[in-house]
Amino acid sequence: MAATTSSFMFHKPPTSSPCRTRIGSFTSSKFIKAQSSDVRKEHVVIVGGGIAGLATALSLHRLGVRSLVLEQSESLRTGGTSLTLFKNGWSVLDSIGVANHLRTQYLEIQGMVVKSEDGRELRSFNFKQEDESQEVRAVERRVLLETLASQLPHDTIQYSSRLVKIEASSNGDTLLEFIDGSKLLAQIVIGCDGIRSPIAKWMGFSEPKFVGHCAFRGLASYSGGQPLESRVNYIYGKGLRAGYVPVSSTKVYWFICFNSSSPGPKITDSTVLKKQAKELVENWPQELLNIMDSTPDDTIIRTPLVDRWLWPAISPPVSAGKVVLVGDAWHPMTPNLGQGACCALEDSVVLAKKLARAINSNDTSVEEAFKSYGSERWPRIFPLTIRANLVGSALQWDNPVVCSVRNNIVIPKLVRLGPLLEHTNFTSENL
């Protein structure tokens, strides 16, 4: 759910005691009671119908827990390009029963090659030689979302549900109000509403921080079949880098990452975006330029890269009462390790297991389940977010001397791929 916060109304979540937030002349609990005949009630509500939201809904469904997914768009958001999933992501997709369907559509990437901007090969790696269990595939975001949605009961996703107000009641329920004036009272709320999450803001989280880089992304299309080997290709320049990887027999994903002092203006004209992207790498290897020429203009996007570091004792906890965050809403990270989607998938199954156990037994409360989820996930998420940031910063160096050392010594002689992929060692058991 691409969140917009400019018109969002915030009433603080509960802390150590129930929150009684004034709305007009009513406290929240009295307001909810007075309006109960007009308010729909739900048990588990997931805000956001992106990867995190649909994976969480499907994980809960596999465990026998019904949920309602609220998506602000009028239909499933099928925009975007592609994302790379490593073995930890595929383990989650296996556990929720959709991996094999996706595997039939997308190529397994065998390795990677790193080049300088003049096309000189600096180093190459084979994934299986580094880790026999590694599995890497690039997947179209559209198809991943459609696949997850197809496995849910038909009435799970409610579209055109743009959230404009959220408030806590004294009994722990949460009142959600939408742009059309409708209201919903939820016992449990799971915020999967993306990088600019209104729910995260309501819970006290800071806005994600711009890291000084922006990225162009595109998805090239070849009706007669794409010509590339099944490997990731990286090209490193000075303050500028690019990459491309075959997705399927007819699609190739590419990106260009460049330094920028600010996020810059939002540009929606795809022809302008394509022109700007090509100007950045006009003297780079022809193979990259050919891929960009084969890209439909409407698949090209430009985004500023942001993240949020979840400092211990400073950042708010992942949950407030019976409200909890998943994926980018909690821990937006830069794409330099290819772990944003993978970590969101991990979050979804870990949370679903703990929540289903709390709902289906009296052993633990929902609040305790959410705290346990945060305690388990934070030690993994926090270091990965920092690591992704630092890797990106190193790859965006623009000092000619430093770049020369990187390209002629560090990458060819010092880098080992195995340790760089240890973060993909996450296994999810079947639900």
PDB file of all heavy atoms in Angstrom, residues 52-72:
ATOM      1  N   ALA A  52       4.422  -7.862   1.426  1.00  0.00           N
ATOM      2  CA  ALA A  52       4.341  -8.184   2.853  1.00  0.00           C
ATOM      3  C   ALA A  52       2.909  -8.493   3.265  1.00  0.00           C
ATOM      4  O   ALA A  52       2.654  -9.471   3.992  1.00  0.00           O
ATOM      5  CB  ALA A  52       4.896  -7.026   3.674  1.00  0.00           C
ATOM      6  N   GLY A  53       1.954  -7.677   2.808  1.00  0.00           N
ATOM      7  CA  GLY A  53       0.569  -7.879   3.201  1.00  0.00           C
ATOM      8  C   GLY A  53      -0.022  -9.175   2.692  1.00  0.00           C
ATOM      9  O   GLY A  53      -0.668  -9.925   3.438  1.00  0.00           O
ATOM     10  N   LEU A  54       0.206  -9.475   1.412  1.00  0.00           N
ATOM     11  CA  LEU A  54      -0.372 -10.694   0.843  1.00  0.00           C
ATOM     12  C   LEU A  54       0.324 -11.948   1.377  1.00  0.00           C
ATOM     13  O   LEU A  54      -0.324 -12.975   1.601  1.00  0.00           O
ATOM     14  CB  LEU A  54      -0.279 -10.646  -0.686  1.00  0.00           C
ATOM     15  CG  LEU A  54      -1.092  -9.530  -1.363  1.00  0.00           C
ATOM     16  CD1 LEU A  54      -1.009  -9.661  -2.882  1.00  0.00           C
ATOM     17  CD2 LEU A  54      -2.543  -9.540  -0.908  1.00  0.00           C
ATOM     18  N   ALA A  55       1.645 -11.866   1.597  1.00  0.00           N
ATOM     19  CA  ALA A  55       2.355 -13.027   2.160  1.00  0.00           C
ATOM     20  C   ALA A  55       1.909 -13.284   3.593  1.00  0.00           C
ATOM     21  O   ALA A  55       1.770 -14.444   4.015  1.00  0.00           O
ATOM     22  CB  ALA A  55       3.860 -12.794   2.100  1.00  0.00           C
ATOM     23  N   THR A  56       1.663 -12.221   4.359  1.00  0.00           N
ATOM     24  CA  THR A  56       1.171 -12.397   5.725  1.00  0.00           C
ATOM     25  C   THR A  56      -0.231 -12.990   5.710  1.00  0.00           C
ATOM     26  O   THR A  56      -0.542 -13.912   6.481  1.00  0.00           O
ATOM     27  CB  THR A  56       1.173 -11.050   6.466  1.00  0.00           C
ATOM     28  OG1 THR A  56       2.500 -10.508   6.487  1.00  0.00           O
ATOM     29  CG2 THR A  56       0.684 -11.218   7.893  1.00  0.00           C
ATOM     30  N   ALA A  57      -1.090 -12.494   4.827  1.00  0.00           N
ATOM     31  CA  ALA A  57      -2.456 -13.024   4.726  1.00  0.00           C
ATOM     32  C   ALA A  57      -2.444 -14.493   4.334  1.00  0.00           C
ATOM     33  O   ALA A  57      -3.197 -15.307   4.895  1.00  0.00           O
ATOM     34  CB  ALA A  57      -3.259 -12.210   3.711  1.00  0.00           C
ATOM     35  N   LEU A  58      -1.584 -14.858   3.378  1.00  0.00           N
ATOM     36  CA  LEU A  58      -1.534 -16.247   2.932  1.00  0.00           C
ATOM     37  C   LEU A  58      -0.947 -17.144   4.015  1.00  0.00           C
ATOM     38  O   LEU A  58      -1.414 -18.272   4.219  1.00  0.00           O
ATOM     39  CB  LEU A  58      -0.722 -16.356   1.642  1.00  0.00           C
ATOM     40  CG  LEU A  58      -0.646 -17.747   1.007  1.00  0.00           C
ATOM     41  CD1 LEU A  58      -2.038 -18.335   0.792  1.00  0.00           C
ATOM     42  CD2 LEU A  58       0.113 -17.693  -0.315  1.00  0.00           C
ATOM     43  N   SER A  59       0.064 -16.656   4.731  1.00  0.00           N
ATOM     44  CA  SER A  59       0.641 -17.435   5.832  1.00  0.00           C
ATOM     45  C   SER A  59      -0.417 -17.705   6.897  1.00  0.00           C
ATOM     46  O   SER A  59      -0.551 -18.836   7.391  1.00  0.00           O
ATOM     47  CB  SER A  59       1.836 -16.694   6.439  1.00  0.00           C
ATOM     48  OG  SER A  59       2.871 -16.521   5.500  1.00  0.00           O
ATOM     49  N   LEU A  60      -1.176 -16.688   7.251  1.00  0.00           N
ATOM     50  CA  LEU A  60      -2.249 -16.872   8.233  1.00  0.00           C
ATOM     51  C   LEU A  60      -3.312 -17.826   7.699  1.00  0.00           C
ATOM     52  O   LEU A  60      -3.834 -18.683   8.435  1.00  0.00           O
ATOM     53  CB  LEU A  60      -2.874 -15.523   8.577  1.00  0.00           C
ATOM     54  CG  LEU A  60      -2.020 -14.580   9.427  1.00  0.00           C
ATOM     55  CD1 LEU A  60      -2.653 -13.194   9.489  1.00  0.00           C
ATOM     56  CD2 LEU A  60      -1.820 -15.135  10.835  1.00  0.00           C
ATOM     57  N   HIS A  61      -3.653 -17.691   6.423  1.00  0.00           N
ATOM     58  CA  HIS A  61      -4.650 -18.578   5.807  1.00  0.00           C
ATOM     59  C   HIS A  61      -4.207 -20.038   5.889  1.00  0.00           C
ATOM     60  O   HIS A  61      -5.024 -20.924   6.205  1.00  0.00           O
ATOM     61  CB  HIS A  61      -4.858 -18.165   4.355  1.00  0.00           C
ATOM     62  CG  HIS A  61      -5.762 -19.064   3.577  1.00  0.00           C
ATOM     63  ND1 HIS A  61      -7.086 -19.265   3.896  1.00  0.00           N
ATOM     64  CD2 HIS A  61      -5.510 -19.843   2.471  1.00  0.00           C
ATOM     65  CE1 HIS A  61      -7.620 -20.121   3.035  1.00  0.00           C
ATOM     66  NE2 HIS A  61      -6.690 -20.477   2.166  1.00  0.00           N
ATOM     67  N   ARG A  62      -2.935 -20.293   5.608  1.00  0.00           N
ATOM     68  CA  ARG A  62      -2.420 -21.666   5.699  1.00  0.00           C
ATOM     69  C   ARG A  62      -2.523 -22.208   7.122  1.00  0.00           C
ATOM     70  O   ARG A  62      -2.592 -23.419   7.336  1.00  0.00           O
ATOM     71  CB  ARG A  62      -0.963 -21.712   5.243  1.00  0.00           C
ATOM     72  CG  ARG A  62      -0.712 -21.280   3.802  1.00  0.00           C
ATOM     73  CD  ARG A  62      -1.311 -22.229   2.794  1.00  0.00           C
ATOM     74  NE  ARG A  62      -0.833 -21.963   1.445  1.00  0.00           N
ATOM     75  CZ  ARG A  62      -1.585 -22.015   0.360  1.00  0.00           C
ATOM     76  NH1 ARG A  62      -2.866 -22.315   0.462  1.00  0.00           N
ATOM     77  NH2 ARG A  62      -1.069 -21.778  -0.836  1.00  0.00           N
ATOM     78  N   LEU A  63      -2.511 -21.297   8.103  1.00  0.00           N
ATOM     79  CA  LEU A  63      -2.572 -21.702   9.509  1.00  0.00           C
ATOM     80  C   LEU A  63      -3.991 -21.631  10.061  1.00  0.00           C
ATOM     81  O   LEU A  63      -4.208 -21.769  11.266  1.00  0.00           O
ATOM     82  CB  LEU A  63      -1.641 -20.810  10.339  1.00  0.00           C
ATOM     83  CG  LEU A  63      -0.146 -20.970  10.034  1.00  0.00           C
ATOM     84  CD1 LEU A  63       0.651 -19.837  10.666  1.00  0.00           C
ATOM     85  CD2 LEU A  63       0.355 -22.325  10.516  1.00  0.00           C
ATOM     86  N   GLY A  64      -4.964 -21.412   9.182  1.00  0.00           N
ATOM     87  CA  GLY A  64      -6.361 -21.437   9.590  1.00  0.00           C
ATOM     88  C   GLY A  64      -6.887 -20.149  10.179  1.00  0.00           C
ATOM     89  O   GLY A  64      -7.948 -20.159  10.823  1.00  0.00           O
ATOM     90  N   VAL A  65      -6.199 -19.042   9.957  1.00  0.00           N
ATOM     91  CA  VAL A  65      -6.645 -17.753  10.490  1.00  0.00           C
ATOM     92  C   VAL A  65      -7.081 -16.858   9.344  1.00  0.00           C
ATOM     93  O   VAL A  65      -6.299 -16.581   8.427  1.00  0.00           O
ATOM     94  CB  VAL A  65      -5.519 -17.058  11.290  1.00  0.00           C
ATOM     95  CG1 VAL A  65      -5.968 -15.673  11.761  1.00  0.00           C
ATOM     96  CG2 VAL A  65      -5.098 -17.919  12.477  1.00  0.00           C
ATOM     97  N   ARG A  66      -8.316 -16.402   9.385  1.00  0.00           N
ATOM     98  CA  ARG A  66      -8.831 -15.512   8.357  1.00  0.00           C
ATOM     99  C   ARG A  66      -8.363 -14.086   8.623  1.00  0.00           C
ATOM    100  O   ARG A  66      -8.287 -13.637   9.763  1.00  0.00           O
ATOM    101  CB  ARG A  66     -10.364 -15.550   8.328  1.00  0.00           C
ATOM    102  CG  ARG A  66     -10.963 -14.629   7.276  1.00  0.00           C
ATOM    103  CD  ARG A  66     -12.467 -14.488   7.427  1.00  0.00           C
ATOM    104  NE  ARG A  66     -13.002 -13.514   6.476  1.00  0.00           N
ATOM    105  CZ  ARG A  66     -12.990 -12.207   6.650  1.00  0.00           C
ATOM    106  NH1 ARG A  66     -12.483 -11.694   7.776  1.00  0.00           N
ATOM    107  NH2 ARG A  66     -13.494 -11.391   5.746  1.00  0.00           N
ATOM    108  N   SER A  67      -8.091 -13.351   7.564  1.00  0.00           N
ATOM    109  CA  SER A  67      -7.740 -11.943   7.695  1.00  0.00           C
ATOM    110  C   SER A  67      -8.405 -11.161   6.566  1.00  0.00           C
ATOM    111  O   SER A  67      -8.826 -11.726   5.561  1.00  0.00           O
ATOM    112  CB  SER A  67      -6.216 -11.741   7.643  1.00  0.00           C
ATOM    113  OG  SER A  67      -5.693 -12.120   6.372  1.00  0.00           O
ATOM    114  N   LEU A  68      -8.492  -9.855   6.763  1.00  0.00           N
ATOM    115  CA  LEU A  68      -8.984  -8.953   5.736  1.00  0.00           C
ATOM    116  C   LEU A  68      -7.832  -8.041   5.332  1.00  0.00           C
ATOM    117  O   LEU A  68      -7.223  -7.390   6.181  1.00  0.00           O
ATOM    118  CB  LEU A  68     -10.149  -8.113   6.265  1.00  0.00           C
ATOM    119  CG  LEU A  68     -10.668  -7.017   5.321  1.00  0.00           C
ATOM    120  CD1 LEU A  68     -11.339  -7.636   4.096  1.00  0.00           C
ATOM    121  CD2 LEU A  68     -11.630  -6.088   6.056  1.00  0.00           C
ATOM    122  N   VAL A  69      -7.525  -7.992   4.042  1.00  0.00           N
ATOM    123  CA  VAL A  69      -6.464  -7.135   3.521  1.00  0.00           C
ATOM    124  C   VAL A  69      -7.095  -5.870   2.940  1.00  0.00           C
ATOM    125  O   VAL A  69      -7.961  -5.949   2.067  1.00  0.00           O
ATOM    126  CB  VAL A  69      -5.637  -7.853   2.432  1.00  0.00           C
ATOM    127  CG1 VAL A  69      -4.558  -6.918   1.874  1.00  0.00           C
ATOM    128  CG2 VAL A  69      -4.998  -9.114   2.996  1.00  0.00           C
ATOM    129  N   LEU A  70      -6.649  -4.716   3.414  1.00  0.00           N
ATOM    130  CA  LEU A  70      -7.148  -3.432   2.926  1.00  0.00           C
ATOM    131  C   LEU A  70      -6.101  -2.802   2.026  1.00  0.00           C
ATOM    132  O   LEU A  70      -4.996  -2.487   2.467  1.00  0.00           O
ATOM    133  CB  LEU A  70      -7.440  -2.495   4.104  1.00  0.00           C
ATOM    134  CG  LEU A  70      -8.424  -3.024   5.150  1.00  0.00           C
ATOM    135  CD1 LEU A  70      -8.540  -2.033   6.299  1.00  0.00           C
ATOM    136  CD2 LEU A  70      -9.783  -3.289   4.528  1.00  0.00           C
ATOM    137  N   GLU A  71      -6.441  -2.643   0.756  1.00  0.00           N
ATOM    138  CA  GLU A  71      -5.518  -2.076  -0.231  1.00  0.00           C
ATOM    139  C   GLU A  71      -6.110  -0.775  -0.767  1.00  0.00           C
ATOM    140  O   GLU A  71      -7.266  -0.737  -1.187  1.00  0.00           O
ATOM    141  CB  GLU A  71      -5.284  -3.072  -1.366  1.00  0.00           C
ATOM    142  CG  GLU A  71      -4.620  -2.511  -2.610  1.00  0.00           C
ATOM    143  CD  GLU A  71      -3.292  -1.821  -2.329  1.00  0.00           C
ATOM    144  OE1 GLU A  71      -2.496  -2.339  -1.511  1.00  0.00           O
ATOM    145  OE2 GLU A  71      -3.066  -0.751  -2.921  1.00  0.00           O
ATOM    146  N   GLN A  72      -5.295   0.293  -0.755  1.00  0.00           N
ATOM    147  CA  GLN A  72      -5.829   1.593  -1.148  1.00  0.00           C
ATOM    148  C   GLN A  72      -6.097   1.714  -2.646  1.00  0.00           C
ATOM    149  O   GLN A  72      -6.930   2.513  -3.069  1.00  0.00           O
ATOM    150  CB  GLN A  72      -4.881   2.703  -0.700  1.00  0.00           C
ATOM    151  CG  GLN A  72      -3.574   2.762  -1.435  1.00  0.00           C
ATOM    152  CD  GLN A  72      -2.787   4.019  -1.060  1.00  0.00           C
ATOM    153  OE1 GLN A  72      -3.234   4.820  -0.254  1.00  0.00           O
ATOM    154  NE2 GLN A  72      -1.621   4.174  -1.650  1.00  0.00           N
TER     155      GLN A  72
END
